[in-house]
Amino acid sequence: MSTAPETAPVPASEEAQDEVIALCAELIRFDTSNPTSDERASAEWVVARLAEAGIDSELIESAPGRASVIARIAGRDAGRGALLVHGHLDVVPADASEWQVPPFSGEIRDGYLWGRGAIDMKDTVAVMLAAARHFARTGTKPSRDLVLAFLADEEAGGKFGAHWLVEHRPELFAGVTEAIGEGGGFSFAIDDTRRLYPIENAQRGMAWMELTATGRAGHGSSPNDENAVTDLAESLTRIGRETFPIRLIEPVRALLEEAARLYGVEFDEDDIDGSLARLGPVADFMQVVLRNSANPTMFAAGYQTNVIPGKATARVDGRFLPGHEQELIDTIDRLLLPSVGREWVNHDIAMETTFDGPLVDAMCAAVRAEDPDGHPVPYCNPGGTDAKAFTHLGIRCFGFKGLKLPHDLDYGRLFHGVDERVPLEGLRFGVRVMTRLWQSC
Ligand SMILES: [Zn+2]
């Protein structure tokens, strides 16, 4: 029910589609590795690129060097809730010795722009900048107010970025009702010609925990039935070998059903294994969001072979689907021996919003307009993003970047991976999609 006047969208200019590539390359050349570097220089550069087009912005430092940038762009209908578009400026570190190109060079080769952050997520940051500059240059107004956020510290949980801003500067997001960020809106090949575009409307929650076993210290040669190392190891083994039951949450079910429809095969919820077997690579892609998970990742105990320590500690990376947090906690508690306690290292919410409304319609329409063989579907992100912070402000959060990928590219492996790269055509596609979306949402 958009109240914005119906006008034909102004398409992204060739200039905007060309400059997104240069903008992304320049962004990659800022080493914003988290935790070893900072975002200040890249944030100042973002401010300057916006200012060139006449867009005011504010640079905010949460701590020395930890800088984010916020800009507000007035839309045609100020009476509607604003849309937050967020991207992060930091990246995970890269070991140059493993790469075919220096990871902070922003080199173009074989139709790709290479470098750390090329898909996570300086690509989308460049798309945001190119689209905003295009709107300013052409006097095009978005359908409603936009808040653009270029954020610090996402890769370490957003303590100095999204979470800090939500806590200390919530007025920056006044009037924002919905948000789009990373985590969805990329293409996933169904076959040679057709693609899914998973649009994130859910995220699993995080339950990172430290386990501590308390036992009876003693000599390594003596009998001991309260050995902390033994108890912790047994508890960890139980957790690591636990098969969590499949829980089909709505976005996952919807994606699998759409994939089955496109493949022309049956999807039967009472025969999940058989149904997944018919869905090939889509089933592999979705394995991680079919259920809760908990993986032991760290273990520490003892200081000498002949001394039984009184204590042993371990870490477990737990993740839960929306609506299934208590089930994960209950399962862990059932698997722990009585001598083992747990406490949270990082505990954050799962999220889910419905896949409906004008913004969802506009995202789907923008994809279909630019890729007639594209099929937008709901999606649950297995991990977490800055969206978790914005949910605390009552904002409906989605993951949508608008990235069309060649079918021979293993997108998932590039995330935080070696030889991260983005297709140049994908960047251009992103600007076209975003330009449509901002005028129609
Ligand atoms: Zn990211």
Side-chain angles (χ1 to χ4, degrees):
M1 270 211 332
S2 171
T3 53
E6 289 300 322
T7 48
V10 177
S13 62
E14 281 301 318
E15 183 183 3
Q17 294 180 62
D18 288 342
E19 83 163 8
V20 68
I21 295 164
L23 290 167
C24 189
E26 285 194 64
L27 273 163
I28 286 170
R29 291 182 196 121
F30 291 99
D31 179 354
T32 51
S33 298
N34 193 352
T36 53
S37 196
D38 65 47
E39 300 91 355
R40 173 92 203 188
S42 66
E44 287 173 351
W45 178 87
V46 167
V47 169
R49 297 291 77 74
L50 292 169
E52 267 174 3
I55 302 168
D56 290 333
S57 62
E58 181 181 355
L59 186 149
I60 301 136
E61 261 193 347
S62 56
R66 308 313 304 269
S68 300
V69 177
I70 305 286
R72 207 173 255 267
I73 297 175
R76 292 195 302 266
D77 185 353
R80 293 181 58 213
L83 175 69
L84 169 65
V85 186
H86 59 98
H88 60 84
L89 295 170
D90 63 320
V91 295
V92 292
D95 179 351
S97 70
E98 298 173 332
W99 284 57
Q100 293 184 50
V101 303
F104 298 101
S105 63
E107 204 171 304
I108 291 173
R109 191 192 281 188
D110 305 330
Y112 286 86
L113 173 61
W114 297 60
R116 175 57 86 223
I119 55 159
D120 185 12
M121 61 175 296
K122 288 177 171 173
D123 57 334
T124 312
V125 171
V127 165
M128 290 162 63
L129 281 173
R133 286 158 60 93
H134 168 70
F135 276 56
R137 277 195 303 261
T138 56
T140 307
K141 279 199 164 188
S143 52
R144 51 172 162 154
D145 288 2
L146 294 182
V147 175
L148 305 184
F150 305 87
L151 301 165
D153 198 36
E154 191 274 343
E155 295 293 358
K159 189 172 153 224
F160 294 107
H163 282 284
W164 191 93
L165 291 169
V166 163
E167 197 177 324
H168 295 92
R169 297 290 309 274
E171 80 281 2
L172 292 169
F173 309 102
V176 172
T177 53
E178 292 169 312
I180 57 173
E182 63 183 325
F186 49 86
S187 67
F188 183 91
I190 282 282
D191 53 30
D192 289 347
T193 55
R194 297 176 300 174
R195 289 159 289 280
L196 293 178
Y197 283 84
I199 296 175
E200 180 201 299
N201 66 328
Q203 286 187 2
R204 293 205 300 178
M206 293 170 59
W208 295 3
M209 59 196 99
E210 180 159 287
L211 305 181
T212 302
T214 313
R216 178 159 46 84
H219 197 288
S221 68
S222 306
N224 188 324
D225 58 4
E226 295 174 55
N227 185 321
V229 177
T230 306
D231 283 5
L232 186 59
E234 185 172 338
S235 300
L236 287 176
T237 302
R238 293 177 176 196
I239 292 169
R241 300 215 190 285
E242 176 73 6
T243 302
F244 290 85
I246 288 178
R247 301 289 184 222
L248 269 194
I249 63 168
E250 189 47 40
V252 174
R253 180 205 319 272
L255 188 151
L256 294 173
E257 282 177 351
E258 176 67 358
R261 191 186 69 78
L262 292 168
Y263 282 127
V265 299
E266 191 198 356
F267 182 79
D268 177 3
E269 209 179 313
D270 296 325
D271 175 23
I272 286 291
D273 290 337
S275 297
L276 291 173
R278 291 188 282 273
L279 292 177
V282 175
D284 294 340
F285 171 56
M286 296 298 285
Q287 280 293 346
V288 63
V289 287
L290 291 176
R291 54 184 102 225
N292 288 340
S293 62
N295 280 306
T297 50
M298 298 168 75
F299 195 130
Y303 48 90
Q304 173 60 288
T305 307
N306 61 357
V307 178
I308 297 169
K311 210 176 86 166
T313 61
R315 294 268 175 106
V316 172
D317 179 347
R319 310 280 177 142
F320 52 89
L321 291 163
H324 295 279
E325 177 176 10
Q326 194 57 46
E327 183 181 21
L328 176 71
I329 293 171
D330 291 346
T331 304
I332 296 292
D333 287 346
R334 173 171 58 75
L335 298 172
L336 294 179
L337 294 186
S339 61
V340 181
R342 64 166 167 82
E343 57 186 57
W344 300 124
V345 176
N346 189 348
H347 189 194
D348 209 341
I349 54 170
M351 304 165 20
E352 182 175 1
T353 185
T354 48
F355 198 72
D356 57 8
L359 175 61
V360 168
D361 292 346
M363 290 189 286
C364 295
V367 163
R368 290 194 188 103
E370 293 296 338
D371 183 356
D373 292 314
H375 298 268
V377 281
Y379 175 60
C380 177
N381 187 330
T385 69
D386 280 337
K388 289 197 196 300
F390 297 118
T391 301
H392 292 295
L393 294 175
I395 297 171
R396 273 181 95 195
C397 293
F398 296 90
F400 182 77
K401 62 195 301 176
L403 178 61
K404 185 182 170 191
L405 297 160
H407 287 193
D408 58 356
L409 185 73
D410 189 342
Y411 182 59
R413 279 183 63 149
L414 294 179
F415 266 86
H416 300 189
V418 170
D419 292 334
E420 186 177 343
R421 58 196 184 277
V422 63
L424 303 181
E425 275 311 312
L427 287 170
R428 299 170 68 90
F429 180 84
V431 175
R432 296 199 299 272
V433 167
M434 206 58 84
T435 299
R436 277 183 187 277
L437 176 65
W438 289 2
Q439 293 176 74
S440 59
C441 64

